[in-house]
Amino acid sequence: MTDPDPIPVRVRPAIAALPPYKQGRQAAPDAFKLSSNENPYDPLPGVIDAMRAVTGVNRYPDASAARLRDRLAADYGVSPDAVHIGAGSVSLIAQLISATAGPGDEVVYAWRSFEAYPSLVEVSGATSVRIPLTPDAGHDLAAMADAVTDRTRMMLVCSPNNPTGPVVTQSAFDDFVTRVPRDVLIVLDEAYAEFVTAPDAVDGVRVLQAGHPNVVVLRTFSKAYGLAGLRVGYGIGHPRVLDAARSTAIPLSVTAHAEEAALASLDARAELLERVAEITERRDALAAGLREQGWRVPDAQGNFVWLATGPDTLAVADAFHDGGIVVRPFAGEGVRISVGEHESVDRVLRIAGSVVEDLPEGHPARG
Protein backbone atom coordinates (compact mmCIF):
# COMPACT_ATOMS: atom_id res chain seq x y z
CA MET A 1 0.00 0.00 0.00
CA THR A 2 1.37 3.40 -0.98
CA ASP A 3 2.00 5.95 1.76
CA PRO A 4 -0.83 8.52 1.37
CA ASP A 5 1.50 11.32 2.40
CA PRO A 6 5.07 10.39 1.43
CA ILE A 7 8.05 12.40 2.62
CA PRO A 8 8.99 14.66 -0.31
CA VAL A 9 12.77 14.41 0.25
CA ARG A 10 15.20 11.61 1.02
CA VAL A 11 15.18 10.99 4.76
CA ARG A 12 17.15 8.30 6.54
CA PRO A 13 14.87 5.26 6.86
CA ALA A 14 15.56 4.96 10.58
CA ILE A 15 14.46 8.57 11.12
CA ALA A 16 11.39 8.20 8.91
CA ALA A 17 10.30 5.29 11.09
CA LEU A 18 10.99 7.16 14.33
CA PRO A 19 7.90 8.75 15.89
CA PRO A 20 8.33 12.43 16.83
CA TYR A 21 8.27 13.37 20.49
CA LYS A 22 4.69 13.57 21.70
CA GLN A 23 3.92 15.67 24.74
CA GLY A 24 1.36 14.40 27.21
CA ARG A 25 -2.21 15.62 27.33
CA GLN A 26 -2.81 19.15 28.47
CA ALA A 27 -4.98 19.61 31.54
CA ALA A 28 -8.37 21.30 31.60
CA PRO A 29 -8.61 24.40 33.82
CA ASP A 30 -10.15 22.37 36.66
CA ALA A 31 -7.77 19.41 36.31
CA PHE A 32 -4.31 18.67 37.64
CA LYS A 33 -1.51 18.09 35.12
CA LEU A 34 0.61 15.35 36.67
CA SER A 35 2.12 13.99 33.48
CA SER A 36 5.43 15.84 33.03
CA ASN A 37 7.16 15.74 36.44
CA GLU A 38 6.93 19.50 36.65
CA ASN A 39 7.43 21.36 39.91
CA PRO A 40 4.03 22.59 41.15
CA TYR A 41 5.58 25.69 42.74
CA ASP A 42 6.29 28.98 41.01
CA PRO A 43 9.94 29.96 40.48
CA LEU A 44 11.98 30.64 43.59
CA PRO A 45 12.19 34.19 45.05
CA GLY A 46 14.12 36.63 42.89
CA VAL A 47 14.04 34.48 39.76
CA ILE A 48 11.34 36.44 37.92
CA ASP A 49 13.07 39.73 38.78
CA ALA A 50 16.37 38.36 37.47
CA MET A 51 14.76 37.38 34.18
CA ARG A 52 13.00 40.71 33.80
CA ALA A 53 16.36 42.43 34.11
CA VAL A 54 17.52 40.73 30.92
CA THR A 55 16.41 43.17 28.25
CA GLY A 56 19.09 42.83 25.58
CA VAL A 57 17.35 40.13 23.60
CA ASN A 58 18.67 41.68 20.39
CA ARG A 59 22.07 40.29 21.43
CA TYR A 60 23.18 36.68 21.55
CA PRO A 61 23.70 35.11 24.98
CA ASP A 62 27.10 34.05 26.28
CA ALA A 63 27.71 30.83 24.35
CA SER A 64 29.31 29.07 27.32
CA ALA A 65 27.07 30.52 30.05
CA ALA A 66 30.34 31.38 31.77
CA ARG A 67 28.88 32.95 34.90
CA LEU A 68 26.74 29.90 35.59
CA ARG A 69 29.67 27.58 34.82
CA ASP A 70 31.87 29.49 37.25
CA ARG A 71 29.22 29.38 39.96
CA LEU A 72 28.62 25.64 39.60
CA ALA A 73 32.35 24.95 39.40
CA ALA A 74 32.85 26.74 42.71
CA ASP A 75 29.91 24.90 44.27
CA TYR A 76 31.21 21.49 43.19
CA GLY A 77 34.92 22.18 43.70
CA VAL A 78 35.92 21.66 40.07
CA SER A 79 37.40 23.84 37.35
CA PRO A 80 35.01 25.74 35.07
CA ASP A 81 36.03 23.63 32.09
CA ALA A 82 34.75 20.58 33.99
CA VAL A 83 31.21 22.04 33.79
CA HIS A 84 29.10 22.15 30.64
CA ILE A 85 25.76 23.98 30.40
CA GLY A 86 23.04 22.87 28.01
CA ALA A 87 19.40 23.45 27.15
CA GLY A 88 18.22 20.89 29.68
CA SER A 89 20.08 17.72 30.60
CA VAL A 90 18.45 15.91 27.66
CA SER A 91 20.39 18.12 25.25
CA LEU A 92 23.60 17.13 27.01
CA ILE A 93 22.69 13.45 26.61
CA ALA A 94 22.20 14.03 22.89
CA GLN A 95 25.57 15.77 22.66
CA LEU A 96 27.40 13.01 24.52
CA ILE A 97 25.81 10.29 22.38
CA SER A 98 26.74 12.18 19.22
CA ALA A 99 30.28 12.62 20.50
CA THR A 100 30.83 8.95 21.31
CA ALA A 101 28.57 6.76 19.19
CA GLY A 102 27.69 6.36 15.53
CA PRO A 103 26.79 3.61 13.07
CA GLY A 104 28.08 0.26 14.28
CA ASP A 105 28.45 1.44 17.88
CA GLU A 106 26.27 0.54 20.86
CA VAL A 107 24.74 2.49 23.74
CA VAL A 108 23.63 0.46 26.76
CA TYR A 109 20.84 1.52 29.11
CA ALA A 110 18.17 0.06 31.36
CA TRP A 111 14.63 -0.27 30.05
CA ARG A 112 12.18 1.07 30.79
CA SER A 113 13.97 4.29 31.56
CA PHE A 114 13.88 7.88 30.26
CA GLU A 115 11.81 7.80 27.09
CA ALA A 116 14.23 9.98 25.11
CA TYR A 117 17.10 7.51 25.28
CA PRO A 118 16.04 5.26 22.36
CA SER A 119 15.31 8.11 19.96
CA LEU A 120 18.55 9.94 20.78
CA VAL A 121 20.54 6.79 20.10
CA GLU A 122 18.62 6.17 16.87
CA VAL A 123 19.28 9.69 15.63
CA SER A 124 23.03 9.18 16.15
CA GLY A 125 22.95 6.07 14.00
CA ALA A 126 24.12 3.88 16.88
CA THR A 127 22.34 0.80 18.23
CA SER A 128 20.47 0.65 21.53
CA VAL A 129 21.16 -2.22 23.90
CA ARG A 130 18.27 -2.29 26.38
CA ILE A 131 18.72 -4.21 29.63
CA PRO A 132 15.47 -5.14 31.42
CA LEU A 133 14.82 -3.69 34.85
CA THR A 134 14.94 -5.88 37.93
CA PRO A 135 11.62 -7.14 39.42
CA ASP A 136 11.63 -4.14 41.78
CA ALA A 137 11.81 -1.75 38.77
CA GLY A 138 15.46 -0.79 39.30
CA HIS A 139 18.64 -1.00 37.23
CA ASP A 140 20.33 -4.37 36.77
CA LEU A 141 23.85 -2.97 36.72
CA ALA A 142 25.45 -6.42 36.68
CA ALA A 143 23.57 -7.30 33.50
CA MET A 144 24.43 -3.92 32.01
CA ALA A 145 28.12 -4.52 32.66
CA ASP A 146 27.81 -8.01 31.15
CA ALA A 147 26.35 -6.43 28.00
CA VAL A 148 29.53 -4.47 27.21
CA THR A 149 31.18 -5.47 23.94
CA ASP A 150 33.96 -3.98 21.84
CA ARG A 151 31.23 -1.90 20.15
CA THR A 152 29.98 -0.31 23.39
CA ARG A 153 30.70 3.40 23.52
CA MET A 154 28.37 4.72 26.21
CA MET A 155 26.32 3.56 29.21
CA LEU A 156 23.32 5.50 30.53
CA VAL A 157 22.37 5.13 34.20
CA CYS A 158 19.27 7.02 35.36
CA SER A 159 19.02 7.45 39.13
CA PRO A 160 16.31 7.84 40.33
CA ASN A 161 15.01 5.95 37.33
CA ASN A 162 12.43 7.82 35.30
CA PRO A 163 9.63 6.68 35.17
CA THR A 164 9.78 3.87 37.74
CA GLY A 165 11.41 5.65 40.70
CA PRO A 166 14.12 3.47 42.35
CA VAL A 167 17.68 4.68 42.76
CA VAL A 168 20.97 2.98 42.03
CA THR A 169 22.89 2.47 45.26
CA GLN A 170 26.35 3.91 45.77
CA SER A 171 27.89 0.50 46.35
CA ALA A 172 26.29 -0.96 43.21
CA PHE A 173 27.47 1.97 41.10
CA ASP A 174 30.99 1.75 42.52
CA ASP A 175 31.14 -1.92 41.53
CA PHE A 176 29.67 -1.11 38.11
CA VAL A 177 32.34 1.49 37.36
CA THR A 178 35.10 -1.00 38.08
CA ARG A 179 33.57 -3.49 35.60
CA VAL A 180 33.10 -1.06 32.70
CA PRO A 181 36.18 -0.42 30.53
CA ARG A 182 37.75 2.95 31.26
CA ASP A 183 37.39 4.06 27.63
CA VAL A 184 33.59 3.62 27.72
CA LEU A 185 31.64 6.72 28.78
CA ILE A 186 29.26 6.29 31.71
CA VAL A 187 26.59 8.98 32.00
CA LEU A 188 24.93 9.20 35.41
CA ASP A 189 21.63 10.97 34.75
CA GLU A 190 20.60 12.57 38.05
CA ALA A 191 17.78 14.83 36.87
CA TYR A 192 15.86 14.12 40.10
CA ALA A 193 18.80 14.06 42.52
CA GLU A 194 17.42 16.75 44.82
CA PHE A 195 14.36 14.63 45.67
CA VAL A 196 16.34 11.57 46.78
CA THR A 197 16.02 10.63 50.46
CA ALA A 198 17.43 7.08 50.34
CA PRO A 199 20.65 7.12 52.38
CA ASP A 200 22.37 4.50 50.21
CA ALA A 201 21.67 6.21 46.87
CA VAL A 202 24.48 6.96 44.46
CA ASP A 203 25.76 10.53 44.65
CA GLY A 204 27.29 11.86 41.47
CA VAL A 205 29.47 14.31 43.38
CA ARG A 206 30.97 11.48 45.38
CA VAL A 207 31.56 9.50 42.19
CA LEU A 208 33.45 12.40 40.61
CA GLN A 209 35.52 12.94 43.73
CA ALA A 210 36.62 9.31 43.50
CA GLY A 211 38.34 10.14 40.22
CA HIS A 212 36.56 8.39 37.36
CA PRO A 213 37.40 10.30 34.15
CA ASN A 214 34.96 8.22 32.09
CA VAL A 215 31.95 9.32 34.19
CA VAL A 216 29.86 12.41 33.45
CA VAL A 217 27.17 13.45 35.92
CA LEU A 218 24.10 15.28 34.64
CA ARG A 219 21.73 17.47 36.64
CA THR A 220 19.05 20.00 35.74
CA PHE A 221 17.23 23.11 36.88
CA SER A 222 13.98 21.85 35.33
CA LYS A 223 12.67 19.73 38.20
CA ALA A 224 13.56 20.75 41.77
CA TYR A 225 14.31 24.35 40.77
CA GLY A 226 11.08 24.72 38.79
CA LEU A 227 12.65 26.08 35.59
CA ALA A 228 11.32 23.47 33.16
CA GLY A 229 10.11 26.12 30.72
CA LEU A 230 13.55 27.73 30.45
CA ARG A 231 15.53 24.58 29.52
CA VAL A 232 18.80 24.70 31.42
CA GLY A 233 20.82 21.79 32.77
CA TYR A 234 24.46 20.96 33.33
CA GLY A 235 27.04 18.22 33.20
CA ILE A 236 30.13 17.73 35.32
CA GLY A 237 33.02 15.59 34.20
CA HIS A 238 36.45 15.41 32.62
CA PRO A 239 37.09 18.61 30.60
CA ARG A 240 38.20 16.72 27.48
CA VAL A 241 35.03 14.60 27.52
CA LEU A 242 32.92 17.73 27.90
CA ASP A 243 34.90 19.40 25.10
CA ALA A 244 33.71 16.60 22.82
CA ALA A 245 30.12 17.28 23.88
CA ARG A 246 30.59 21.01 23.37
CA SER A 247 31.77 20.31 19.83
CA THR A 248 28.43 18.68 18.97
CA ALA A 249 26.22 21.27 20.70
CA ILE A 250 23.90 23.65 18.89
CA PRO A 251 25.55 27.03 19.57
CA LEU A 252 23.85 29.62 21.75
CA SER A 253 21.07 27.27 22.86
CA VAL A 254 21.08 28.42 26.51
CA THR A 255 19.40 31.82 26.69
CA ALA A 256 20.47 34.70 28.87
CA HIS A 257 17.12 34.46 30.67
CA ALA A 258 17.82 30.82 31.51
CA GLU A 259 21.29 31.60 32.83
CA GLU A 260 20.06 34.47 35.00
CA ALA A 261 17.18 32.37 36.35
CA ALA A 262 19.54 29.53 37.22
CA LEU A 263 21.92 31.86 39.04
CA ALA A 264 19.06 33.43 40.99
CA SER A 265 17.75 29.96 41.85
CA LEU A 266 21.13 28.95 43.26
CA ASP A 267 20.96 32.04 45.47
CA ALA A 268 17.64 30.80 46.90
CA ARG A 269 18.80 27.36 48.06
CA ALA A 270 17.21 27.65 51.51
CA GLU A 271 13.77 28.09 49.98
CA LEU A 272 14.54 25.32 47.50
CA LEU A 273 15.27 22.83 50.26
CA GLU A 274 12.02 23.71 52.00
CA ARG A 275 10.03 23.09 48.82
CA VAL A 276 11.86 19.87 48.04
CA ALA A 277 11.12 18.61 51.55
CA GLU A 278 7.41 19.33 51.06
CA ILE A 279 7.36 17.53 47.72
CA THR A 280 9.18 14.46 49.06
CA GLU A 281 6.81 14.27 52.03
CA ARG A 282 3.86 14.53 49.63
CA ARG A 283 5.43 11.84 47.43
CA ASP A 284 5.91 9.47 50.34
CA ALA A 285 2.32 10.05 51.49
CA LEU A 286 1.02 9.42 47.97
CA ALA A 287 3.04 6.21 47.60
CA ALA A 288 1.93 4.98 51.02
CA GLY A 289 -1.72 5.73 50.23
CA LEU A 290 -1.52 3.84 46.95
CA ARG A 291 0.07 0.84 48.64
CA GLU A 292 -2.65 0.81 51.27
CA GLN A 293 -5.21 0.59 48.46
CA GLY A 294 -3.48 -2.50 47.09
CA TRP A 295 -1.21 -1.02 44.45
CA ARG A 296 2.35 -2.28 44.02
CA VAL A 297 4.41 0.91 43.98
CA PRO A 298 8.20 0.70 43.49
CA ASP A 299 10.44 2.74 45.76
CA ALA A 300 9.72 6.33 44.74
CA GLN A 301 12.77 8.60 44.95
CA GLY A 302 11.94 11.20 42.32
CA ASN A 303 8.94 13.54 42.24
CA PHE A 304 6.65 10.85 40.81
CA VAL A 305 5.23 7.38 41.41
CA TRP A 306 4.87 4.43 39.04
CA LEU A 307 2.00 2.01 38.56
CA ALA A 308 2.81 -1.03 36.40
CA THR A 309 -0.63 -1.25 34.79
CA GLY A 310 0.59 -3.30 31.81
CA PRO A 311 -2.09 -4.02 29.18
CA ASP A 312 -4.61 -1.86 31.09
CA THR A 313 -2.43 1.26 30.93
CA LEU A 314 -4.44 3.34 28.47
CA ALA A 315 -7.74 2.49 30.17
CA VAL A 316 -6.27 3.45 33.56
CA ALA A 317 -4.94 6.71 32.14
CA ASP A 318 -8.40 7.47 30.74
CA ALA A 319 -9.97 6.82 34.15
CA PHE A 320 -7.60 9.35 35.72
CA HIS A 321 -8.26 11.82 32.93
CA ASP A 322 -12.02 11.50 33.38
CA GLY A 323 -11.51 12.28 37.06
CA GLY A 324 -9.50 15.43 36.38
CA ILE A 325 -5.98 14.03 36.67
CA VAL A 326 -3.65 13.95 33.67
CA VAL A 327 -1.03 11.19 34.07
CA ARG A 328 1.67 9.94 31.70
CA PRO A 329 0.83 6.56 30.17
CA PHE A 330 3.44 4.28 28.60
CA ALA A 331 1.25 1.93 26.57
CA GLY A 332 1.49 -1.68 27.63
CA GLU A 333 3.73 -0.87 30.61
CA GLY A 334 2.42 1.59 33.17
CA VAL A 335 1.47 5.09 34.20
CA ARG A 336 3.67 7.69 35.86
CA ILE A 337 2.00 10.15 38.20
CA SER A 338 3.90 13.30 39.12
CA VAL A 339 3.72 14.76 42.60
CA GLY A 340 1.79 17.97 42.11
CA GLU A 341 -0.20 20.41 44.18
CA HIS A 342 -1.20 19.40 47.69
CA GLU A 343 -4.85 19.40 46.64
CA SER A 344 -4.17 16.83 43.92
CA VAL A 345 -3.19 14.01 46.28
CA ASP A 346 -6.70 13.23 47.56
CA ARG A 347 -8.07 13.24 44.03
CA VAL A 348 -5.34 10.88 42.80
CA LEU A 349 -6.02 8.49 45.67
CA ARG A 350 -9.79 8.63 45.14
CA ILE A 351 -9.47 7.68 41.47
CA ALA A 352 -6.72 5.14 42.09
CA GLY A 353 -8.81 3.43 44.77
CA SER A 354 -11.67 2.86 42.37
CA VAL A 355 -9.35 1.70 39.58
CA VAL A 356 -7.41 -0.88 41.59
CA GLU A 357 -10.64 -2.58 42.65
CA ASP A 358 -11.31 -3.45 38.99
CA LEU A 359 -7.91 -5.04 38.43
CA PRO A 360 -7.88 -8.84 38.71
CA GLU A 361 -5.96 -10.71 41.40
CA GLY A 362 -2.41 -11.35 40.29
CA HIS A 363 -2.30 -8.21 38.12
CA PRO A 364 1.27 -6.80 37.99
CA ALA A 365 0.09 -3.48 39.40
CA ARG A 366 -1.44 -5.06 42.50
CA GLY A 367 0.58 -5.64 45.64
Side-chain angles (χ1 to χ4, degrees):
M1 183 175 175
T2 304
D3 186 343
D5 188 18
I7 301 174
V9 298
R10 287 187 236 179
V11 172
R12 286 166 49 198
I15 302 303
L18 192 66
Y21 177 80
K22 207 168 189 181
Q23 194 171 18
R25 286 172 169 171
Q26 295 301 305
D30 60 344
F32 292 101
K33 182 173 180 279
L34 307 181
S35 56
S36 300
N37 291 348
E38 295 156 330
N39 193 316
Y41 293 105
D42 292 332
L44 290 157
V47 171
I48 299 298
D49 290 339
M51 288 193 293
R52 284 176 176 156
V54 180
T55 58
V57 294
N58 57 312
R59 305 293 184 185
Y60 288 116
D62 177 355
S64 68
R67 292 170 57 230
L68 182 56
R69 285 177 69 194
D70 289 345
R71 174 65 181 273
L72 289 168
D75 288 350
Y76 285 101
V78 299
S79 62
D81 59 355
V83 179
H84 177 36
I85 311 298
S89 56
V90 67
S91 72
L92 300 176
I93 296 169
Q95 293 166 25
L96 290 164
I97 292 174
S98 295
T100 59
D105 299 328
E106 295 176 346
V107 178
V108 179
Y109 51 87
W111 195 251
R112 166 167 291 275
S113 192
F114 180 34
E115 63 192 285
Y117 293 163
S119 59
L120 295 177
V121 174
E122 189 74 53
V123 168
S124 76
T127 299
S128 288
V129 178
R130 304 184 189 186
I131 306 301
L133 297 175
T134 61
D136 61 359
H139 279 53
D140 188 342
L141 291 183
M144 290 178 67
D146 288 342
V148 173
T149 70
D150 58 1
R151 296 190 299 276
T152 306
R153 297 293 178 267
M154 181 168 161
M155 318 280 283
L156 283 159
V157 178
C158 185
S159 181
N161 187 49
N162 175 25
T164 61
V167 294
V168 168
T169 66
Q170 184 71 53
S171 60
F173 191 85
D174 291 344
D175 291 342
F176 175 70
V177 171
T178 64
R179 292 193 57 196
V180 174
R182 290 178 64 84
D183 62 351
V184 172
L185 175 63
I186 301 172
V187 174
L188 178 57
D189 184 355
E190 291 191 303
Y192 301 91
E194 291 85 358
F195 300 106
V196 173
T197 55
D200 59 347
V202 65
D203 179 356
V205 176
R206 179 175 167 181
V207 172
L208 293 170
Q209 290 172 342
H212 297 293
N214 64 324
V215 176
V216 170
V217 174
L218 301 183
R219 294 191 176 178
T220 184
F221 288 92
S222 295
K223 309 303 181 184
Y225 287 90
L227 301 183
L230 289 175
R231 312 306 302 129
V232 57
Y234 59 97
I236 307 171
H238 192 284
R240 295 294 291 124
V241 175
L242 296 182
D243 282 345
R246 285 185 269 263
S247 296
T248 72
I250 296 174
L252 307 164
S253 58
V254 178
T255 68
H257 291 84
E259 183 178 18
E260 289 296 340
L263 287 165
S265 296
L266 290 172
D267 288 337
R269 274 202 179 118
E271 292 89 345
L272 171 76
L273 294 176
E274 291 175 4
R275 291 181 175 187
V276 166
E278 290 181 10
I279 292 172
T280 56
E281 289 174 8
R282 200 174 299 162
R283 172 200 70 198
D284 292 345
L286 176 59
L290 290 167
R291 292 182 184 120
E292 289 173 6
Q293 292 177 344
W295 291 97
R296 177 182 288 119
V297 181
D299 186 27
Q301 291 292 319
N303 65 335
F304 52 88
V305 296
W306 173 253
L307 305 178
T309 45
D312 300 297
T313 291
L314 297 183
V316 170
D318 285 341
F320 276 104
H321 184 265
D322 292 344
I325 296 289
V326 181
V327 300
R328 191 59 175 268
F330 297 90
E333 298 179 75
V335 297
R336 186 191 66 198
I337 307 174
S338 305
V339 178
E341 294 82 354
H342 173 74
E343 298 80 8
S344 70
V345 174
D346 286 344
R347 192 183 298 187
V348 170
L349 290 174
R350 185 170 65 252
I351 300 167
S354 63
V355 169
V356 73
E357 292 176 354
D358 294 332
L359 297 179
E361 291 293 334
H363 192 283
R366 297 194 68 163

